Amino acid sequence: MRQTHLLSSLLFALCGSVGVTAQDAPTYRDELLSFHQSIVEISSISGQETEAGDYLIDYFTEKGFSTERQFLPNSTTRFNVLAWPPRTTNSSRIILTTHYDVVPPFFGYSRSGPDPPTAETVISGRGTSDAKGSIAAQSMALFDLLEAGTVTGDDVMLVFVVGEEVSGDGMIHYSNTVAAQNSRPDVAIFGEPTNSTLACGHKGGLACTVFAQGLAGHSGYPSSGKSANEILMRALVKAIDADLGNDERYGNTTVNVGVMAGGLAPNIIPANANASLAVRVAVGPEASGHLIVKERLEAVMAEVDPDAFTFECPFGFGAVEIDCDVDGFETDVMAYGTDIPRLIGNHTKYLYGPGDILKAHTADESITLGELESAVEGYKKLILHAVEGNSTRKYKN
Ligand SMILES: *[C@@H]1O[C@H](CO)[C@@H](O)[C@H](O)[C@H]1NC(C)=O
Ligand SMILES: *[C@@H]1O[C@H](CO)[C@@H](O)[C@H](O)[C@H]1NC(C)=O
Ligand SMILES: *[C@@H]1O[C@H](CO)[C@@H](O)[C@H](O)[C@H]1NC(C)=O
Ligand SMILES: *[C@@H]1O[C@H](CO)[C@@H](O)[C@H](O)[C@H]1NC(C)=O
Ligand SMILES: *[C@@H]1O[C@H](CO)[C@@H](O)[C@H](O)[C@H]1NC(C)=O
Ligand SMILES: *[C@@H]1O[C@H](CO)[C@@H](O)[C@H](O)[C@H]1NC(C)=O
Ligand SMILES: *[C@@H]1O[C@H](CO)[C@@H](O)[C@H](O)[C@H]1NC(C)=O
């Protein structure tokens, strides 16, 4: 009897300390879960962010923060959410930032796993990871440090922007505004799904539509015309296979032919065709790496036909170097783009966030509670690193 009793006490003590039980839950678990759920439940597909923005403003106001709806030019519905704890100056040195718009289609919040939730709990829904997971983790990190008295609003504020998934108009507007007000941050901590690694850089991007000009004719007599579809296909395959620029850190430049169109009817040699490409640029510098790639792309396609192609490439940037010299983090590089190059200035920049980018934008986007919670701790470490003045700028714009 006694022995059994001893054994069960021992087992109880062991389970209590090593098992994944509610006792291991960080103090912010409930708040993290409910805030994350609330923001994921509101659809905020790029362009239609108003309701989620209003929710964020109300939430931070209730937490005692000052808030601002930073409306985009020409818009009465789309705004960046700025929120800061009490401060003595008119700006904060460090911004915690990410975007609150999401890609379509919207699908709702659900949770699977044990009840009450544990670190293994899987949370599904559009934006759970990209990037409302970052919003929730950044916010909890800031609340925790404020409560501990280690930071104030003079140190840190929150900047949640719109439009990242489309044109970056939210971050561009924020950047223009802080430049005009002379209130640029010294440090910007960007949140995107990095699998909770600290990113040392990410690929650049180049968006192009390529137009092929052929010559119409009867399909029975191919040599009487020039097929725009055919030359465009041959040239695109060449571009996909070509080395458009590679780098030890960033790997290969890659070409996604996202949209193609051309021709009028099966029995007409097509006179016109076009294709829209998203090129992921593996070479720098940030300001001009994409121009090197554009030149190579044009040259490779010209090998198929020197006269047929014209290019419209409305925007691009080279590979982006990011500060990552902080103890206690695993580091990696990302193959996707972010708002980082849209925030102009010589600030220190970090990129870190919960979630796997391979699950973002998918039909079953999800994240675990454990990922969110470990990112809260990661953000706290990054903020403290920056507050203690340990952020040194390694790369210049
Ligand atoms: C949008 O705003 C910009 C800058 O505030 C202004 O120059 C432009 O004329 C506006 N465009 C429209 C369509 O209102
Ligand atoms: C904020 O303070 C800085 C430095 O004192 C000043 O240059 C700037 O004009 C102020 N900005 C605003 C919007 O008041
Ligand atoms: C990069 O492209 C080269 C061919 O140009 C190929 O051999 C190599 O496997 C590619 N690397 C990656 C990481 O895909
Ligand atoms: C591409 O070609 C298609 C079919 O000819 C046409 O409908 C479309 O407008 C073109 N795209 C662009 C961007 O011009
Ligand atoms: C960044 O620093 C460089 C070199 O010191 C300087 O030329 C440039 O104007 C700075 N850019 C901004 C936006 O402050
Ligand atoms: C993120 O981590 C998961 C789990 O370890 C792994 O399967 C996945 O490949 C990682 N994602 C990237 C982009 O490296
Ligand atoms: C900042 O640097 C100091 C001195 O090297 C070190 O003691 C401290 O732990 C660092 N803080 C962080 C958060 O990395």
Side-chain angles (χ1 to χ4, degrees), residues 209-211 260-264 272-276 312:
T209 297
V210 186
F211 298 87
M260 293 180 72
L264 290 174
N272 292 97
N274 61 60
S276 296
E312 271 177 21

Side-chain angles (χ1 to χ4, degrees), residues 193-197 332-336 355-359 371:
T194 67
N195 257 353
S196 300
T197 64
D332 200 357
V333 294
M334 303 295 134
Y336 56 80
D356 182 358
I357 197 65
L358 298 175
K359 291 187 182 146
E371 287 178 281

Side-chain angles (χ1 to χ4, degrees), residues 306-325:
D307 313 312
F309 302 112
T310 52
F311 294 78
E312 271 177 21
C313 304
F315 68 86
F317 53 90
V320 175
E321 292 190 72
I322 308 173
D323 304 275
C324 63
D325 186 10

Side-chain angles (χ1 to χ4, degrees), residues 181-266:
Q181 293 176 343
N182 195 22
S183 59
R184 285 196 180 97
D186 296 335
V187 181
I189 301 173
F190 286 83
E192 289 282 355
T194 67
N195 257 353
S196 300
T197 64
L198 194 57
C200 294
H202 67 66
K203 280 186 175 174
L206 174 68
C208 290
T209 297
V210 186
F211 298 87
Q213 179 66 58
L215 180 65
H218 192 289
S219 59
Y221 299 85
S223 62
S224 71
K226 187 203 276 191
S227 167
N229 282 351
E230 184 184 327
I231 53 176
L232 182 59
M233 286 189 292
R234 290 189 193 283
L236 287 174
V237 169
K238 255 193 128 138
I240 290 167
D241 291 341
D243 177 5
L244 297 178
N246 68 80
D247 177 273
E248 207 172 289
R249 179 187 269 189
Y250 299 104
N252 290 345
T253 295
T254 59
V255 177
N256 182 59
V257 182
V259 184
M260 293 180 72
L264 290 174

Side-chain angles (χ1 to χ4, degrees), residues 53-75:
D54 287 341
Y55 181 87
L56 289 169
I57 292 281
D58 289 348
Y59 178 79
F60 290 109
T61 303
E62 209 160 278
K63 295 285 175 194
F65 284 42
S66 300
T67 58
E68 180 188 335
R69 286 178 174 82
Q70 185 180 64
F71 282 95
L72 266 55
N74 303 335
S75 179

